DNA sequence: GATTCCATGATTGTATCCAATATTGAGTTG
DNA sequence: CAACTCAATATTGGATACAATCATGGAATC
């Protein structure tokens, strides 16, 4: 009946490991031994390997046959690629969502912003950040597009955490988010897209500088 | 020593199942029972589940907890998303590759085109199609971008096979490919990008029509 | 002393067995 | 006769045992 108890162990494990990585408990490049991890999470190696594969698909983990899995370490090239893609895809999602936003969408977005103000844990900040953006993109009803964008966000979350940009400049980011939300509420499509693009560029710049 | 014997069973299984799906042996929406498949491939259920998860990540298979996996059936919305994304990302990859192409890249691309002329099996045509595009994008040296584009291509391959567009209009596609390759050899960047975009739009149109 | 070889241990991949969940269908009840 | 119950079955998820591969280190050879 609980919200996440009915999920499969592998999925929960993936979420936990993701949190550990984003919070810096596991550093980039660090090897992730299956037995140690399965012990730590009190599960068997079978669902653990499942979780590792999922994280590999998200780009947070690099795994190669018989060699084991390691925490991915985003380099400059990867960050460039991620933000270039996000700059192309996210405005498309926002544009497609325009005209379909409901009051509930805006309320959900605002709740994420409010929650973020009181949060300091990187993994949760990262999730709230995505929750906000997702609330504005969701009405586009373009699941495949959103799934790809979500992947890109998860992958860049690691880079942002490493650069400490999420933690360092939360107030600036929050301000941009509020402006974006307001533009959406005003049905100012061009303005919202411009704000979103600038917001992504600023985030990219901070990640670059952080390294 | 052989090229793919040293791969893990799960990876080989994923490749085989992908081929079966693209060749129409498994129809969209069809359930993929683990025991039946593991028997058919003469492997255990463990690596099979691994393979199914990988295919799910590629979008060729839809899996939900305890409910089992089915062959994905791309709908109009998914096709729209896939081609919209490809139209934004692939020109970027090609543009980034310009100035870095070697003679070998062009030779590889041409070999793929030649091989495609004699090929009729959908799965192999699909792979050769990607080999060609990849040869032209690879010099960009943007691995993360290329990985995303590859995923999008694999996912749309299923839609293209269903619409029979790959098989139906191979000569038209081949002609566009030759022109694209020539433009790259001539270092005509704007022309090449224009041809690529138009090529993608035509493919999109055919897939829409096919359904 | 550097290098190759091989053995030993560590680690991952696979097979098999067990548990948890979903599905089906006969029987019952209103 | 429709709808619900619940037991029996089918199917997936997880735990454990086994096999294959990789990594480490010392001994032999030059």
């Amino acid at each position: 009946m609980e919200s996440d108890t009915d999920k499969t162990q592998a999925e929960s494990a993936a979420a936990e490991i993701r949190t550990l990585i984003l919070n810096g408990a596991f550093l980039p490049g660090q090897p992730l031994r299956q037995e140690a991890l399965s012990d730590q999470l009190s599960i068997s190696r079978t669902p653990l390997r499942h979780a590792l594969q999922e994280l590999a698909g998200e780009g947070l983990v690099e795994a190669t046959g018989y060699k084991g899995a390691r925490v991915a370490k985003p380099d400059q090239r990867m960050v460039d690629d991620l933000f270039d893609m996000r700059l192309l895809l996210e405005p498309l999602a926002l544009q497609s969502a325009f005209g379909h936003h409901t009051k509930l969408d805006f309320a959900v977005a605002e709740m994420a912003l409010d929650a973020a103000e009181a949060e300091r844990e990187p993994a949760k900040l990262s999730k709230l950040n995505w929750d906000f953006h997702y609330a504005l993109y969701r009405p586009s009803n373009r699941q495949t597009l959103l799934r790809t964008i979500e992947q890109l966000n998860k992958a860049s979350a690691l880079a942002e955490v490493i650069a400490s940009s999420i933690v360092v400049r939360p107030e600036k980011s929050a301000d941009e988010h509020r402006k974006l939300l307001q533009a959406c509420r005003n049905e100012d499509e061009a303005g919202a897209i411009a704000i979103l693009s600038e917001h992504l560029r600023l985030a990219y710049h901070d990640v670059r500088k952080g390294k």
Side-chain angles (χ1 to χ4, degrees), chain A:
Chain A
M1 290 307 171
E2 290 187 66
S3 53
D4 42 294
T5 306
D6 55 344
K7 291 169 86 172
T8 183
Q9 290 193 11
E11 295 174 15
S12 314
E16 284 193 49
I17 298 174
R18 197 178 316 151
T19 300
L20 289 172
I21 292 178
L22 290 181
N23 282 344
F26 297 138
L27 298 177
Q30 174 174 345
L32 300 173
R33 304 290 175 208
Q34 296 179 1
E35 193 170 347
L37 263 183
S38 60
D39 281 3
Q40 183 171 344
L41 301 180
S42 301
I43 58 176
S44 172
R45 272 181 48 212
T46 308
L48 175 78
R49 294 181 76 243
H50 225 65
L52 285 180
Q53 188 184 354
E54 179 170 333
L55 294 172
E58 293 176 10
L60 265 72
V61 160
E62 294 166 356
T64 46
Y66 280 109
K67 230 180 50 181
R70 338 176 67 84
V71 179
K73 57 172 154 188
D75 56 355
Q76 188 59 54
R77 219 170 285 124
M78 177 183 282
V79 171
D80 289 350
D81 286 1
L82 290 174
F83 277 93
D84 274 354
M85 288 192 272
R86 290 179 60 186
L87 260 164
L88 290 173
L89 299 184
E90 298 200 24
L92 172 62
L94 181 59
Q95 175 189 343
S96 301
F98 254 89
H100 303 286
H101 287 121
T102 68
K103 290 174 185 171
L104 180 59
D105 294 319
F106 295 138
V108 169
E110 196 154 24
M111 279 181 55
L113 291 187
D114 292 342
E117 303 224 338
E119 186 59 61
R120 286 184 310 126
E121 184 182 335
K124 288 185 180 170
L125 273 173
S126 177
K127 185 193 182 310
L128 289 171
N129 185 66
W130 168 244
D131 287 347
F132 168 75
H133 282 263
Y134 181 78
L136 297 184
Y137 303 157
R138 187 210 55 78
S140 70
N141 215 4
R142 303 185 66 165
Q143 299 179 357
T144 303
L145 173 61
L146 291 184
R147 204 168 75 103
T148 301
I149 292 178
E150 183 172 10
Q151 272 186 241
L152 298 176
N153 270 267
K154 281 182 181 167
S156 33
L158 178 56
E160 295 183 33
V161 166
I162 293 173
S164 301
S165 64
I166 283 189
V167 188
V168 163
R169 54 174 221 109
E171 60 291 338
K172 279 194 291 181
S173 181
D175 187 47
E176 294 156 24
H177 281 161
R178 300 273 180 199
K179 284 180 183 165
L180 174 57
L181 176 56
Q182 192 55 47
C184 290
R185 277 186 161 133
N186 294 344
E187 297 186 10
D188 174 13
E189 182 170 337
I193 291 179
I195 294 173
L196 172 62
S197 298
E198 186 60 15
H199 171 58
L200 289 173
R201 283 197 198 91
L202 289 173
Y204 170 59
H205 195 258
D206 279 358
V207 173
R208 281 199 64 131
K209 205 171 50 181
K211 299 201 66 162

